[in-house]
Amino acid sequence: MYYLLLCFVSCACAQSIFYESYTGNVLNNEEVKEHLKKNTAFWCVNEVLPCNPYEGRRLDGTCNNLKYPNRGAPHTPQYRLLPAEYDKDFEPKTAKSGEPLPLSRSVRTNLLAEGRVPDSRFTQLLTYFWAHVLRDVLSAHDTLKYVIWKPYCCQEKGETDKECIPNIIPDDDPVHRFSSVRCMNLTRPESFQSVGCLKNDTVPERIVTSTPIFDLSQMYGTSLKIANEKARLFEKGMLKFEVENGKLWPPSTKTPVNVCLSNQKPYEKRCHDTPDEGVNSVIGLNLFVTWTWRLHNRIATTLSELNPCWDDDRLFFTTRDIVIAITMQIYFYEMSPALMGFDNLVREGVISPHKEFRDIYDENIVPQVSLEFPAVQRWAHTIQEGKLMMYDANGNYLKEHRIVNMTLRTGYLVDNLEYITQGAFRQPAAKADYIIDPDVVQTGLGANQLSADIATSDLTKNRYFGFAPYIKYRKLCSGKTYSTFEDLIDVIDPERIELLKEKYKNVEDIDLMAGIWAEKLVKGGSVPVTLYCVVVEQMLRTVVSDRHWYERPNRPNAFSLEQLLEIRKASVAQFMCAVGDTVTEIQPHAFFLPGKGNKMCSCKDIQKINLSPWKDLSCNGKQNKKYEI
Ligand SMILES: *[C@@H]1O[C@H](CO)[C@@H](O)[C@H](O)[C@H]1NC(C)=O
Ligand SMILES: *[C@@H]1O[C@H](CO)[C@@H](O)[C@H](O)[C@H]1NC(C)=O
Ligand SMILES: *[C@@H]1O[C@H](CO)[C@@H](O)[C@H](O)[C@H]1NC(C)=O
């Protein structure tokens, strides 16, 4: 926010071009001044240094698309798969009958029973990695808004604040009929309107602070300035780090008041002070950022040994490129096939069946994330296990803790990281079975709220995003028209159609999230059919629209084929062996539980990535050892 101002006022960066973040139109000096005066420049203006087609991936995502330079930057709009549908004043639409839609909470309790059933295939590690990759294109402000900034939504003050949209709990609620909780805090998602970029009489459009590109925003931040201040060590391309308990950690905050609200004082102190302090939130994200932080430094130091003549800048940017590529290789070629089916994804063109380069870039498609993409994946809360089980390195069970109590509690990791790490690939995720863990829907935010039902909020937000009815998404995905509840039989079992009928009067009333909760899983995969459809659309768009996509041979500083073939060897098991505490043995497919065909083996037997293809001959360095990670 400040750098933009500085830059403009001092004219130090006179060559910068300013774009309106929403429209992508160039702004003249008067218009920029107007935003500075109104204090809206941070959200509504993107400052872009002139694009150079040979430059690599920028931290702030600008110039990814050379025709539309601000697209790819933070605070640019998400696109909608289907046009928004709201009632008047952009309030949630009513049911077909004109009545309000059923309470979100009552839809949730009707469709998703509370209980615990472990899965027989997937590990916790999968849910952790899922949270990590999604966070790359999101921001934390929609949670902070009702927990910290506007904590009064269930009080009298909330009634007069339009931003408050608390969930009402009915008197006959299966859980809260025994408590006095009749309201759960919630606020409207931040939008271009709420931050002052668009007039309030226009269709609300969500605004997020990450880049809409998979570039590890949660690690490196969203501008060169932030990365330089908060992340880079300026030595051998490494990230700043601290050593505590003999382990390497991201830097931590020195101030006593910090976002780690759940640290048990005075003993638990650690709180990550990285470009995105939101990494201290859910544990899966916190773990993967900590591990990936280490991976970055391992790769950077290995490259600096391999190429002693490279300077810090070159080491940093090359390492970042490799770390992003490894993360995407695991996301596209390991996690997504596990969830959605390898053959399905090859058929859709999301992944390539070959190891060589692939290039389906289209400069006419700008880098963007659909509004529906993160929203439908909140289904993953139904396979989130509420218990966090901890093991020693030999697989002996030690203890357990509630996972919701780990949110905003980085301090707990200091003494327990190795046991949590071991548990990550030994403990099952929860089964995809229309049952949700009680903690996720009763105390979803741990001690930060008396009671929070994450799934109910997921549904409510659909309505405030103005999502079209579920059956319109069905039509988008299958081409089929659905006009009665019975038509849904191809995607929803009869007993769950019955449950939907109990809450919705008309098939057109069904909310997107509710439909997805009730759906059957896709053939050959383990996710609901509409989630599958929305995610496939996004993954394809990502490969098509990201000019710096790692599989492309025609991008600035592209990998050589030899280098790409090393990236292809990445696996989450190899990742855990490289950076996980005390991980000396693991199953080769670590998103799946160990067992027949996936037996635990020594890390020595897990395929490694060899960095030798990154050797720069002009450095005249010796090559006398293996540069494996
Ligand atoms: C729209 O309303 C919000 C409050 O809900 C306010 O903060 C914001 O400044 C308004 N936007 C404009 C452009 O007036
Ligand atoms: C977890 O947090 C809850 C508050 O939501 C608290 O009552 C409970 O004692 C905590 N449990 C543990 C094991 O720390
Ligand atoms: C809503 O927030 C207020 C203020 O933080 C808190 O006192 C109240 O317990 C919260 N409600 C629930 C149901 O957690």
Side-chain angles (χ1 to χ4, degrees), residues 38 161-163 188 192-200:
K38 286 196 312 195
D161 189 330
K162 210 169 165 281
E163 293 296 302
R188 278 178 209 257
F192 282 91
Q193 284 77 8
S194 68
V195 299
C197 300
L198 288 179
K199 292 215 171 68
N200 279 333

Side-chain angles (χ1 to χ4, degrees), residues 146-147 151-155 181 183-185 448-452:
Y146 66 89
V147 176
Y152 48 73
C153 285
C154 287
Q155 294 156 12
V181 173
C183 172
M184 290 188 192
N185 296 305
N448 299 295
Q449 291 280 286
L450 176 62
S451 183

